[in-house]
Amino acid sequence: MRRAVFPGSFDPITLGHYDIIERGLTLFDEIIIAIGINADKKYMFSLDERKHFIKESFKNEPKIKVMTYKGLTVDFCKKQNASFILRGLRNPADFEFEKAIAHTNRKMSEIETVFLLTSSGKSYISSSIVRDVIRNGGDVSGLVPETVIIK
């Protein structure tokens, strides 16, 4: 079974994330959307809200699991018997950052990182931009799945 982990904070999940996950489904038998828990990070949405947004977005997709984890992504992958980490790339800066992480992960394990380029119409979307739009009362309907409930 080709199982991939798609890690992130998903605060909140965006249409960019959704794009990568949807396209990843054609490559993998199962994708675990893994919400990383970082006690030092301040989130806009609670862990339960983020899980709910993702589960609702993919409620009709049996190849998707939603889980949470702490610690190293490669350790989580090993526990889940996942041989791949799925990552999205929006721009050259993402590539440089993700490349360093992928090399480190590969050095620590046999887990391969698979990169997908975000579709051109969604490459500008990031969770931090979405949070800024929300904080300022803007409309995020074209940036996030319909399941994301704005506070």
Side-chain angles (χ1 to χ4, degrees), residues 120-137:
S120 62
K122 297 176 180 64
S123 63
Y124 66 94
I125 303 171
S126 71
S127 292
S128 56
I129 289 173
V130 170
R131 289 191 304 271
D132 195 44
V133 172
I134 292 168
R135 275 189 215 98
N136 290 289

Side-chain angles (χ1 to χ4, degrees), residues 85-116:
I85 295 172
L86 176 63
R87 298 298 293 160
L89 299 174
R90 295 171 296 183
N91 54 49
D94 278 357
F95 174 73
E96 289 302 322
F97 177 74
E98 293 290 346
K99 179 177 75 167
I101 294 170
H103 285 314
T104 304
N105 287 341
R106 185 74 175 113
K107 184 115 177 130
M108 295 170 51
S109 71
E110 295 295 311
I111 297 166
E112 290 288 352
T113 300
V114 175
F115 297 110
L116 292 179

Side-chain angles (χ1 to χ4, degrees), residues 1-68:
M1 173 182 275
R2 291 181 321 253
R3 180 177 292 132
V5 168
F6 185 56
S9 59
F10 305 103
D11 186 34
I13 186 171
T14 69
L15 291 178
H17 295 128
Y18 192 93
D19 172 59
I20 296 298
I21 295 162
E22 217 173 32
R23 291 172 39 232
L25 288 170
T26 65
L27 303 173
F28 301 105
D29 300 312
E30 181 178 85
I31 297 176
I32 300 170
I33 303 173
I35 305 170
I37 300 170
N38 181 344
D40 297 330
K41 195 168 177 182
K42 194 143 173 87
Y43 298 104
M44 176 175 273
F45 296 96
S46 72
L47 181 59
D48 286 340
E49 287 173 313
R50 291 179 281 146
K51 281 173 70 174
H52 175 75
F53 297 157
I54 297 166
K55 283 183 177 183
E56 281 299 305
S57 294
F58 294 100
K59 66 183 175 191
N60 295 320
E61 180 48 68
K63 292 170 61 173
I64 297 281
K65 285 185 180 176
V66 181
M67 301 175 81
T68 61

